[in-house]
Amino acid sequence: MQKIDVAVANKKVGELFYEQHEDRYIFNYTQKGDAISLIMPYRVSSYIHKNKLHPIFDMNMPEGYLFEILKQYIAKEYGYLDDFLIFSYLCPNIQSRLIYESWCTKSDVVSFDLEDILQNDTTDTFTNLVQTYLSKNAIGGVQPKSLAFLRDKESLLTKEYIVKTWGEEYENLALNEYFCLKALKKAGVKTANVQLSKNKRFLVVERFNYDKKNEQFLGFEEVLTLLGKNKEQKYSGSYESVAKIIYSVTTNKLESMQSYFAVVVMNYLLKNGDAHLKNFGILYSNDCKDIYFAPAYDIVNTVVYHHKDRPALTMFGKKIWFGKKELLKFGVQECFLSKKEVQRIYKRCIQSLQSTITEIEEYIQKDGSFYNIGSKMVDSLKLSLDAKSYKEMPDELVRNWR
């Protein structure tokens, strides 16, 4: 039976098997030591998952664009296809707190110059990145993206990045996400470090799962994983359930809940309808003594592409664009913050939103190619300033968008 060895800090702790005839995945700890997941502590008995990989492994499975490319390649190479084969192919190249060994060959690390990627943001460049790092692309999300190892000429360091691009159906998605993440940062929220390419075709995102001070990878788990769910269930849940799991696992609870509340508020104000369970994460030290809310990532204004879009998860049992009253209530009741604290955070988020609106309006004057998406963003963000709740974007607002 084929297996995958799983190690923490270069010390093997367990093995993953797949019983094809039973269609079940089995993980066994081989020795007592560090846990592979916050929800999978050491135990003598097996962790068995029927039909699906355990969430800590499934978290690394590609989706959408990457998955379509990868499964065609693997099916052609091996003559069959299942999740265990895909994960076996990818896992030896995953750089994380967990280290894997499978029967598949580990690929050599190839790097490109960061500046070259930022200056040459063409379709050919992106295709080259995807082909070069196909065996390393253990990243989720349906948007066209690729992992890449890029050299920074100034710092002389090679770091792991995610390079995102966009197709015709999501015009100017890189600029959209860039402005949204800048808004989060203005609101005092830690975000992934990002750079825009010369022609705004790429958003280059630095991975944040490496502890530079201690020179080791941090543990990272999506909230989806912590809830014991797989990627097909990423829209099944509530922002209340996310708050509960963050509060239950983090060691710096107040700071983590403040950050989470600010991210939720900004997702509503920015009209991001894709803030699902994979888009919130937890980081932790190798010994699991420091566990905290991860920087914000994957935040875009989605209503400019689908004007009837609504929040990805429920709040108070509903998927509507809640206004100030409900968001403050959420902060007090579900994030365990004081009324004074949620009001302070909300005010800071509104100030960030106002600044972002001005910034986008000024940018539109310089770059006419962003007028269509930029003006829609401005319209929808201004709607958030009235502090009211909306089921969806009002018809009178979007009438001129079509």
Side-chain angles (χ1 to χ4, degrees), residues 316-332:
F316 302 125
K318 298 179 180 179
K319 289 189 177 185
I320 67 174
W321 296 111
F322 281 121
K324 179 179 180 179
K325 178 181 177 181
E326 292 79 8
L327 291 173
L328 294 182
K329 178 182 177 182
F330 175 81
V332 173

Side-chain angles (χ1 to χ4, degrees), residues 235 237-240 268 311-319 322 330:
Y235 294 107
S238 67
Y239 294 114
E240 289 92 339
Y268 274 79
L313 307 175
T314 63
M315 179 183 289
F316 302 125
K318 298 179 180 179
K319 289 189 177 185
F322 281 121
F330 175 81

Side-chain angles (χ1 to χ4, degrees), residues 3-5 87-92 100-105:
K3 66 180 177 68
I4 296 172
D5 292 333
F87 187 66
S88 298
Y89 179 78
L90 290 171
C91 71
Y100 304 93
E101 285 190 15
S102 76
W103 67 93
C104 296
T105 305

Side-chain angles (χ1 to χ4, degrees), residues 74-349:
I74 293 177
K76 182 179 179 180
E77 180 76 12
Y78 293 91
Y80 73 100
L81 191 70
D82 58 40
D83 282 357
F84 191 71
L85 174 59
I86 294 172
F87 187 66
S88 298
Y89 179 78
L90 290 171
C91 71
N93 301 298
I94 295 174
Q95 292 199 346
S96 69
R97 174 178 176 266
L98 300 184
I99 299 171
Y100 304 93
E101 285 190 15
S102 76
W103 67 93
C104 296
T105 305
K106 183 175 182 178
S107 302
D108 294 331
V109 175
V110 178
S111 62
F112 294 84
D113 286 329
L114 172 61
E115 191 61 27
D116 288 346
I117 299 300
L118 292 172
Q119 292 297 319
N120 301 294
D121 51 350
T122 65
T123 300
D124 287 344
T125 297
F126 184 73
T127 300
N128 187 29
L129 289 176
V130 172
Q131 292 175 344
T132 301
Y133 298 108
L134 187 60
S135 64
K136 300 179 184 293
N137 270 314
I139 47 178
V142 298
Q143 177 186 355
K145 63 181 71 171
S146 177
L147 184 145
F149 292 92
L150 305 179
R151 298 183 300 272
D152 187 333
K153 293 179 181 178
E154 293 186 6
S155 66
L156 302 178
L157 295 175
T158 297
K159 301 178 183 177
E160 193 176 37
Y161 292 82
I162 296 174
V163 180
K164 298 183 176 183
T165 189
W166 44 273
E168 294 180 1
E169 71 275 26
Y170 296 114
E171 179 187 352
N172 277 309
L173 186 60
L175 263 172
N176 183 332
E177 184 170 355
Y178 179 73
F179 279 118
C180 287
L181 287 175
K182 281 189 69 177
L184 267 291
K185 188 170 288 189
K186 290 177 186 176
V189 177
K190 291 182 180 178
T191 68
N193 294 324
V194 298
Q195 295 184 62
L196 266 176
S197 62
K198 179 182 178 180
N199 299 304
K200 315 302 186 291
R201 293 290 309 179
F202 296 165
L203 185 71
V204 182
V205 185
E206 184 180 346
R207 298 290 291 270
F208 50 70
N209 66 333
Y210 187 72
D211 181 355
K212 300 174 185 176
K213 181 179 179 181
N214 296 310
E215 297 185 339
Q216 63 183 15
F217 283 97
L218 296 166
F220 172 75
E221 297 188 43
E222 298 164 346
V223 164
L224 182 78
T225 300
L226 296 174
L227 291 171
K229 297 183 177 184
N230 290 72
K231 57 184 176 296
E232 293 83 6
Q233 299 169 291
K234 64 184 180 182
Y235 294 107
S236 174
S238 67
Y239 294 114
E240 289 92 339
S241 65
V242 177
K244 288 178 181 177
I245 197 69
I246 293 171
Y247 187 82
S248 69
V249 303
T250 53
T251 54
N252 64 338
K253 298 187 188 303
L254 177 59
E255 184 180 341
S256 288
M257 297 313 293
Q258 289 172 338
S259 297
Y260 172 63
F261 175 64
V263 172
V264 170
V265 170
M266 290 303 292
N267 272 303
Y268 274 79
L269 295 180
L270 292 168
K271 299 296 179 285
N272 175 26
D274 207 37
H276 51 66
L277 296 175
K278 284 181 69 67
N279 285 345
F280 300 97
I282 294 292
L283 285 172
Y284 52 93
S285 58
N286 201 43
D287 57 9
C288 298
K289 290 183 178 179
D290 296 313
I291 308 172
Y292 49 96
F293 188 60
Y297 57 95
D298 285 358
I299 297 177
V300 299
N301 179 310
T302 60
V303 299
V304 299
Y305 306 112
H306 308 289
H307 68 271
K308 291 186 178 294
D309 202 16
R310 299 183 187 182
L313 307 175
T314 63
M315 179 183 289
F316 302 125
K318 298 179 180 179
K319 289 189 177 185
I320 67 174
W321 296 111
F322 281 121
K324 179 179 180 179
K325 178 181 177 181
E326 292 79 8
L327 291 173
L328 294 182
K329 178 182 177 182
F330 175 81
V332 173
Q333 289 189 359
E334 306 299 334
C335 298
F336 313 111
L337 302 173
S338 68
K339 290 183 179 180
K340 183 178 180 180
E341 185 67 13
V342 298
Q343 289 171 345
R344 183 186 69 82
I345 293 173
Y346 186 84
K347 180 180 179 181
R348 193 173 63 197
C349 290

